[in-house]
Every structure is written in C-alpha cells, then in structure tokens.
Amino acid sequence: MSLIANINKAFDHRIRLGIMSILMVNEYADFNTLKELLDVTDGNLASHLKALEKEDFINIEKQFIGRKPNTRYSASKIGTKTFKDHINALERIINKQK
Amino acid sequence: MESKDYLKDLNEIKHLMNKSSRFMSLSGLSGILAGIYALTGAYFVNIIISNIKEASNTFESFVISYNSVLTLIIIAFGVLLLSVITAIYLSWRKAKKQNESLWDAASKRLLINFMIPLITGGFFIIFLVEKEMFTLVAPLTLAFYGLALVNASKYTLSYIRYLGLTIIALGLISLWFIGYGLLFWALGFGVCHIIYGALMHFKYDKK
C-alpha cells in the first residue's frame, strides 16, 4: 500500500481538519462552539461544514433551544473511520521521514 | 517540506482535541497555595486539639472543646474558601494569558463531573457528623475528594488523575489509623496538593 493512500483530500484544509478533530472527542458541537474554537467567520465555517456534509463525514441535527434554532454537528461512523485512517497515515509518513 | 506540513496538521489536531474537550487553564500554582493553606489550617487545628488534651480536668476540657468547635469549623471553611477563590483567580489569569475563556463548555463539564462525587461525599459526612460518628470523617473526606478528582481528570490536565488516586489511597490507609485523621488530612490536602501543584506548575504554567 502506498504511503499516501489514506491521506484524504477532504481533510486537506485547516478548518475541515479542525472541525473533525473537535467532533472526534466531543459527542457533538454546535455552530457557535465550532466558530469560537476555530476562530473563523460564519460563512467560512458554513462552507466547510457543507463540504464535510457532502462527503457524509458529519451528521447534522437541527433543533430549537427555546425559540432559537440551534444546529449541532457530530462525526458520522464513516467520518470517524476515515479521519482515524487519515491521522494514522500522517503519522506513518512522519515516522518514515525521520 | 511536505512532512513539515503533516507534522503541523497533527499538532493542530492534538491542540484542538485538547482545547475542545479539556479545561487546560487550571493553574498549578493554585494547587501549591491550596496545599499551603491546608497545612497552615492543620497547624492551628493541632494547637487547639492539644489544648483540649492538656486541660487538667474534664469540665475544663469540656468548656474548651465547646468553644473550639466553632473555631475548627471556621478554620476548615476558611481554608476551603481561600483555596477555591485562589484557584478561580489564578485559572482566570492563566486563561486570559492563553486567550481562552474561563467559563466555557469544557470548564462547565469539569465542574459538574467534579461536583458529583464531592456532593455525594458531603452528604455522607454531614450525616456522620450529625450522628457524632467522627471516626470515619477523615477517611471518607479523602476518599470522596480523591474520587471527585479522578472523575474530573477526564476533562482537564491529566495530572489530576494521579493526585486523585494518591488521595484515595491515603483515605483508605487512614482507615487503619483512626485518630490520626488530622495527620492524613495534612498529607492529603496539604502535601499532595503542593507536590502535584508544583509538577503541574512546571509542566504547564511555564509556557
């Protein structure tokens, strides 16, 4: 197997990488939490979330807290697996080049 | 070239995983100070207790111990209050320095998981004191406080886990040394806090 076989293009961006990292260790996170942690603008975050949603890497759950709409995100099964493979691939490449 | 980017990616992943799930701003220095308050408190409590023991007759010792109870309670709550205030203030300062907030999802989770064993233990101890069964108070306070730390450690610096385990062990050992409660309190709340606080201070605060 080639070294970069599991490097996933979908994670080839700081913000998408960040979203997945946060969702790996938290059951879920809402839009504002992600925004605060990643320090990005609404539009920027939304477009990256859309990209991950299109790959089926994250689940989206819309609900109301009181009267305010609240969207929360969680990592899907396939997203979790793909991201783990991605991290392992990163580690292998780094170890190889040491 | 490429590998440098990958290493940066991995560091970024690790950083965000920690930041989003753990409260990293807990101050090690506040642990050291809490330990010093506890030792100071134990020192004064020891003086009061030996005064009671040295009283020449039972009536005198009864009068002294009656007056002393209030002082003992004030010392205990004083140490607790001072420790909590110090921890909040120093953690707030550390969070500000690291550009993070003191009150967020991570610190809320930390506090809730810390309080569950602590409040459970609190009820047990209030019950024991009410029934005047003082012998188990020291072992139980240490054991429940240790459990609270172990439970909270998943949401903050991992050193807290070892501090918790040490204090649980002290609580269990003290079961065989009933009557030396104050000594074990001083070891657990004083010495352990100072040692682990110092370890955390040099590992995490100095950045």
Side-chain angles (χ1 to χ4, degrees):
Chain A
M1 192 178 67
S2 116
L3 263 180
I4 54 165
N6 281 320
I7 292 289
N8 199 303
K9 268 273 182 274
F11 304 129
D12 201 15
H13 188 280
R14 192 189 74 87
I15 294 168
R16 289 196 288 271
L17 200 71
I19 294 168
M20 287 310 289
S21 308
I22 293 165
L23 295 181
M24 292 298 282
V25 289
N26 290 280
E27 215 176 319
Y28 53 81
D30 63 20
F31 193 87
N32 285 332
T33 308
L34 289 174
K35 201 177 105 181
E36 239 171 70
L37 283 167
L38 295 166
D39 201 17
V40 285
T41 60
D42 283 19
N44 205 349
L45 179 58
S47 76
H48 287 296
L49 283 167
K50 195 122 243 160
L52 289 170
E53 188 194 353
K54 228 174 80 189
E55 302 271 356
D56 275 333
F57 287 164
I58 56 173
N59 298 321
I60 296 178
E61 203 180 305
K62 289 195 163 115
Q63 53 170 13
F64 281 85
I65 294 181
R67 288 187 160 181
K68 269 194 187 153
N70 178 284
T71 314
R72 58 187 211 183
Y73 304 87
S74 57
S76 70
K77 242 182 201 153
I78 176 149
T80 307
K81 192 190 171 300
T82 317
F83 192 65
K84 274 185 185 155
D85 290 343
H86 182 75
I87 294 178
N88 287 337
L90 290 182
E91 275 174 347
R92 267 202 306 277
I93 292 171
I94 289 163
N95 286 334
K96 203 108 197 179
Q97 298 193 341
K98 253 180 199 161
Chain B
M1 20 147 269
E2 280 259 281
S3 73
K4 204 156 199 180
D5 281 351
Y6 290 139
L7 197 61
K8 219 181 82 195
D9 278 3
L10 273 181
N11 284 333
E12 177 87 13
I13 290 168
K14 210 172 132 194
H15 171 71
L16 272 167
M17 282 180 168
N18 273 332
K19 188 175 153 191
S20 66
S21 64
R22 287 165 183 262
F23 179 66
M24 304 301 278
S25 304
L26 192 69
S27 157
L29 192 61
S30 68
I32 303 178
L33 287 172
I36 293 171
Y37 302 152
L39 286 182
T40 315
Y43 174 73
F44 285 114
V45 169
N46 194 31
I47 290 178
I48 292 170
I49 288 177
S50 47
N51 277 345
I52 297 173
K53 281 182 184 158
E54 276 167 20
S56 50
N57 59 54
T58 43
F59 178 68
E60 197 184 336
S61 110
F62 174 76
V63 173
I64 296 173
S65 62
Y66 190 79
N67 287 330
S68 304
V69 170
L70 189 68
T71 325
L72 292 178
I73 291 173
I74 289 172
I75 290 174
F77 276 93
V79 167
L80 184 68
L81 198 69
L82 213 57
S83 303
V84 171
I85 291 172
T86 309
I88 293 175
Y89 173 69
L90 288 177
S91 297
W92 171 74
R93 226 181 50 174
K94 193 175 158 190
K96 215 172 90 175
K97 220 180 349 183
Q98 295 175 341
N99 253 332
E100 277 160 29
S101 57
L102 181 65
W103 190 238
D104 58 11
S107 60
K108 255 180 251 176
R109 225 164 1 184
L110 168 66
L111 198 68
I112 290 169
N113 286 288
F114 181 60
M115 292 312 281
I116 292 170
L118 208 63
I119 289 174
T120 313
F123 271 100
F124 261 99
I125 286 147
I126 288 170
F127 176 82
L128 289 178
V129 170
E130 213 176 56
K131 302 274 184 238
E132 299 193 358
M133 298 191 282
F134 298 111
T135 46
L136 287 179
V137 168
L140 280 177
T141 41
L142 286 166
F144 276 106
Y145 179 63
L147 287 172
L149 289 174
V150 170
N151 204 38
S153 68
K154 283 162 257 166
Y155 307 100
T156 184
L157 308 176
S158 47
Y159 269 74
I160 294 292
R161 186 180 176 79
Y162 303 108
L163 172 62
L165 290 172
T166 314
I167 288 180
I168 291 174
L170 273 177
L172 294 180
I173 293 169
S174 73
L175 279 172
W176 279 274
F177 298 92
I178 299 291
Y180 293 90
L182 188 63
L183 176 71
F184 279 93
W185 266 346
L187 279 176
F189 293 116
V191 177
C192 286
H193 274 149
I194 292 174
I195 293 173
Y196 282 96
L199 284 174
M200 279 161 52
H201 179 65
F202 288 114
K203 177 141 189 226
Y204 297 106
D205 291 5
K206 300 236 162 178
K207 268 188 196 168

